[in-house]
Amino acid sequence: MAREENYVSQYKPQWEQLEEYIKTIDKKGYSNLSAKELKDYLNLMKRVSHHLAYSRTHFTGSPLCQYLNDLSVRAHNHLYVVKKSSFKEFRAYFTGGFAKRIQDNKNYIIAAFLIFIAGFILSYILVLTDINNAQFFLPGEYIQQTDWELSDSAWKEEQFFFLSSYVTINNIGVAIKAFVLSITAGVLTTYILFVNGALLGALTSLVAQNSSNILYYWALILPHGIIELSAIFISGGAGLRVGKALLIPGQYKRKDALIKNAKEAVMLMPGVILMLIMAGLIEGFLTPANISITFKLIFAAGTAISMVLYMIIPRKER
Amino acid sequence: MSKTIKIVTPDNVEIEYTLASVGVRAAAAGIDLLIHGAVILIVAIIATFILLSNEADEGTIYSTIAIMFLIYGLLNYAYYILCDLLMKGQTFGKKVYKIRIIRDNGEGITVAHAMIREFIRATIDPLGIGFILILFSKKNKRLGDMAASTIVVEEEKMTLSYLDLSYNTLGKYDLSKEEIMLLQDYFSRKEMMEEGSRKNLQKKLVQYFVKKLDIQNIVEDGDGFLKSILQ
């Protein structure tokens, strides 16, 4: 008999054994293998890689090489590709990892904040000098129809849940866009931040000029706005980081800088999404509710303080 | 010819992955979209019933719309990330076509990769850029794959039975590898051959194997004989 067939018949039992293990893992996962079996699996896998290397040299181009390659791929997949992310990791992220990442990226987040504020101040001043300038930022009809006293809520209690879910989904979309569109070297991220700042600036300016009690306005915006805007700044900061990596890749190639920074920056997004869900719940249920302004403003201050505390406490683990 | 990619395992052996082709990936994406469509259809039907029933007051109507928003949000943003993480780099569509997302270095994807791919899919891919890039990319990468450094590969499916087919002469007839390949070649191509030359070739093969295997009987059915020594 030819050497190759000898080789096959000699080692076939081992390959059968390995296929058996792969099938078990496929169906029931690692936890059903005993420690001894697991060791056996790793051992077999190593052996099969040797068989593959051997047959590549001695039986070049034969079906055996193809088979052993496929077997190695499957075994490799199960050892290295099939990775489970645990609930523990998830919890660790929200109790510490997210705050740590905010601290690591604080310069980018502050930059995002400044771009937003620049838009805010510019439009505020523009509208202050000439109220007609507000048309640049807000639809004309909206400006004319709105009752700037803002004293009674336009939303009924039945609509709260709807408002909450709509606002949350919409905001998450904006945050993701602010992050992803940074692939334009940060240009569109900057644009989104600036325009949103300008929108808020124009609105604030209009209210300041028309309303008798501006506290109504702040009570309408701040309870959810502090968390919501912070989330937008964080995702904007994540975007700016990617944009900077594309503009100034440093020692890396542009593509590698993009990959590396995108991977680190994107880990801010789960936190951002959670913040937006919280903000959405507040915006849907608390902001339009019939509660005194004082309470709403105290609540807003509370969100600000707890958020700053969460971000400021020094974190070690990643 | 499908594209392959070589990855070096920690044991320092090169293994070869076959990249999933554009068509297969589009089909897998189609199945995922079908699932989305089915969910939305069911929700829409239920919602219609609720909204049309006479008892629906304002609160119910708004809640129904709100729940539809949430389901849309979940499908759009969470479906792919959750699938990729829980099913280890596969969505239901990818599972059907036996393809899987892995990192460029052969390891499994993490949350970060899943999120980058998904965010780009949700925001930029609808513009069609992702699909155009996949056609020009060397490793069949769409924009999300490039930014997350991932590839989509085929799950290999050659099993022992395939090996048995190639080496099944073990013990019965002592044929060499070349002889088996010759016979397999003959059977796969004989339909395309011209009648005369096919008969000629068949005769030659039968003569050769009768002599080699030292068969005493007279062979009448040439193809049947050749098949029987191959099996």
Side-chain angles (χ1 to χ4, degrees):
Chain A
M1 262 198 268
R3 236 152 53 89
E4 193 179 339
E5 273 106 60
N6 264 335
Y7 194 79
V8 172
S9 55
Q10 188 181 347
Y11 293 112
K12 208 171 150 195
Q14 296 188 5
W15 305 334
E16 269 166 355
Q17 179 67 40
L18 186 60
E19 289 215 2
E20 220 32 61
Y21 279 132
I22 291 174
K23 250 183 228 159
T24 325
I25 294 172
D26 242 354
K27 270 188 205 137
K28 300 171 192 162
Y30 284 110
S31 44
N32 270 49
L33 293 183
S34 68
K36 195 178 150 288
E37 283 176 318
L38 204 59
K39 245 185 211 160
D40 200 26
Y41 171 68
L42 295 180
N43 233 330
L44 279 172
M45 198 186 136
K46 268 183 212 151
R47 265 194 230 155
V48 169
S49 347
H50 293 311
H51 297 164
L52 173 62
Y54 182 88
S55 51
R56 280 234 175 96
T57 318
H58 295 273
F59 320 124
T60 315
S62 82
L64 181 62
C65 291
Q66 185 68 44
Y67 168 73
L68 286 177
N69 180 66
D70 288 2
L71 185 59
S72 305
V73 165
R74 269 180 293 154
H76 179 263
N77 271 355
H78 283 80
L79 191 61
Y80 296 99
V81 176
V82 179
K83 208 182 273 173
K84 267 213 164 145
S85 28
S86 62
F87 179 72
K88 222 164 142 194
E89 268 172 60
F90 190 70
R91 204 184 53 191
Y93 173 81
F94 285 111
T95 48
F98 179 47
K100 172 82 172 68
R101 287 188 166 83
I102 291 177
Q103 287 161 19
D104 289 348
N105 294 295
K106 67 170 185 292
N107 290 342
Y108 296 106
I109 295 169
I110 291 172
F113 170 71
L114 291 178
I115 293 170
F116 183 90
I117 284 296
F120 182 92
I121 292 175
L122 181 78
S123 74
Y124 190 91
I125 293 172
L126 273 178
V127 176
L128 204 63
T129 45
D130 182 358
I131 209 153
N132 289 326
N133 283 337
Q135 280 162 7
F136 290 128
F137 309 104
L138 297 163
E141 276 172 48
Y142 177 79
I143 298 173
Q144 276 158 20
Q145 285 169 7
T146 309
D147 166 24
W148 295 110
E149 286 301 326
L150 303 166
S151 46
D152 50 315
S153 163
W155 293 91
K156 282 179 258 164
E157 218 162 294
E158 289 89 17
Q159 297 168 321
F160 287 2
F161 179 36
F162 162 72
L163 181 65
S164 176
S165 65
Y166 173 74
V167 160
T168 308
I169 299 293
N170 190 44
N171 284 343
I172 289 174
V174 172
I176 289 176
K177 264 191 200 120
F179 171 65
V180 169
L181 294 181
S182 64
I183 209 153
T184 55
V187 174
L188 284 182
T189 301
T190 312
Y191 173 80
I192 290 174
L193 287 167
F194 189 86
V195 163
N196 277 297
L199 211 103
L200 192 68
L203 200 63
T204 312
S205 190
L206 276 175
V207 176
Q209 290 171 65
N210 291 317
S211 171
S212 53
N213 189 354
I214 198 159
L215 279 184
Y216 278 122
Y217 173 68
W218 291 124
L220 207 62
I221 286 198
L222 286 185
H224 63 269
I226 289 176
I227 298 181
E228 191 178 293
L229 290 178
S230 306
I232 298 289
F233 299 153
I234 293 170
S235 66
L240 290 181
R241 176 171 180 169
V242 176
K244 189 213 150 199
L246 279 169
L247 282 177
I248 314 165
Q251 54 179 323
Y252 295 96
K253 281 197 279 183
R254 276 217 158 70
K255 195 183 152 206
D256 294 335
L258 165 72
I259 291 168
K260 182 175 176 293
N261 284 284
K263 253 184 244 173
E264 284 177 24
V266 81
M267 288 313 289
L268 285 164
M269 296 307 282
V272 166
I273 289 170
L274 186 78
M275 283 170 81
L276 287 175
I277 291 172
M278 277 171 14
L281 286 175
I282 297 170
E283 185 164 2
F285 290 101
L286 188 112
T287 307
N290 229 339
I291 314 173
S292 72
I293 312 175
T294 340
F295 177 79
K296 282 183 187 169
L297 288 176
I298 290 172
F299 182 87
T303 61
I305 291 168
S306 45
M307 213 168 52
V308 167
L309 278 180
Y310 175 75
M311 291 175 192
I312 273 182
I313 296 170
R315 317 269 177 167
K316 266 180 266 156
E317 47 101 41
R318 253 190 94 92
Chain B
M1 194 60 207
S2 50
K3 298 181 197 171
T4 57
I5 187 165
K6 291 192 169 104
I7 284 165
V8 180
T9 68
D11 309 305
N12 224 6
V13 172
E14 242 183 18
I15 54 176
E16 221 175 58
Y17 279 98
T18 311
L19 288 174
S21 69
V22 181
V24 169
R25 291 187 60 178
I31 288 188
D32 286 327
L33 283 182
L34 273 183
I35 293 174
H36 286 198
V39 171
I40 287 173
L41 188 70
I42 292 169
V43 171
I45 290 171
I46 296 174
T48 318
F49 272 115
I50 294 176
L51 294 183
L52 287 182
S53 71
N54 291 329
E55 285 123 63
D57 58 359
E58 208 180 354
T60 339
I61 293 172
Y62 277 110
S63 304
T64 316
I65 300 174
I67 288 169
M68 286 180 76
F69 263 124
L70 289 182
I71 288 172
Y72 161 78
L74 278 178
L75 281 179
N76 203 14
Y77 296 124
Y79 172 81
Y80 289 94
I81 297 178
L82 286 181
C83 277
D84 285 353
L85 289 180
L86 297 179
M87 293 160 69
K88 301 138 189 173
Q90 290 185 310
T91 57
F92 288 104
K94 287 195 168 69
K95 198 156 202 164
V96 169
Y97 283 97
K98 298 210 170 64
I99 55 179
R100 191 189 286 279
I101 310 162
I102 62 171
R103 291 169 60 177
D104 277 356
N105 63 8
E107 289 178 25
I109 58 166
T110 65
V111 194
H113 302 96
M115 281 194 296
I116 293 176
R117 295 184 91 251
E118 157 61 14
F119 291 161
I120 289 181
R121 189 204 62 77
T123 49
I124 301 183
D125 279 1
L127 308 177
I129 298 170
F131 187 68
I132 292 172
L133 279 177
I134 213 176
L135 296 176
F136 291 104
S137 152
K138 238 188 265 169
K139 292 181 187 170
N140 288 358
K141 282 174 173 233
R142 64 178 177 84
L143 193 59
D145 287 320
M146 285 175 203
S149 72
T150 54
I151 47 176
V152 179
V153 295
E154 278 175 15
E155 289 267 272
E156 304 294 344
K157 43 208 172 269
M158 260 172 205
T159 51
L160 267 182
S161 54
Y162 165 79
L163 201 62
D164 287 338
L165 207 75
S166 309
Y167 295 96
N168 56 11
T169 48
L170 272 179
K172 198 172 170 194
Y173 293 109
D174 192 6
L175 300 184
S176 75
K177 193 177 77 188
E178 287 76 16
E179 285 164 344
I180 294 167
M181 274 157 87
L182 178 72
L183 283 175
Q184 281 170 341
D185 239 25
Y186 167 73
F187 280 113
S188 64
R189 284 162 60 179
K190 71 175 178 141
E191 304 299 333
M192 289 175 284
M193 281 162 131
E194 190 213 335
E195 188 64 25
S197 53
R198 189 182 67 81
K199 282 213 168 119
N200 208 354
L201 184 65
Q202 189 201 49
K203 211 169 120 195
K204 268 191 196 164
L205 283 172
V206 169
Q207 260 173 9
Y208 172 82
F209 282 108
V210 164
K211 198 174 160 207
K212 175 172 174 158
L213 302 172
D214 203 12
I215 289 172
Q216 309 300 339
N217 309 344
I218 295 158
V219 176
E220 282 170 3
D221 175 14
D223 274 354
F225 166 71
L226 290 176
K227 227 177 198 136
S228 76
I229 60 169
L230 190 60
Q231 268 159 9

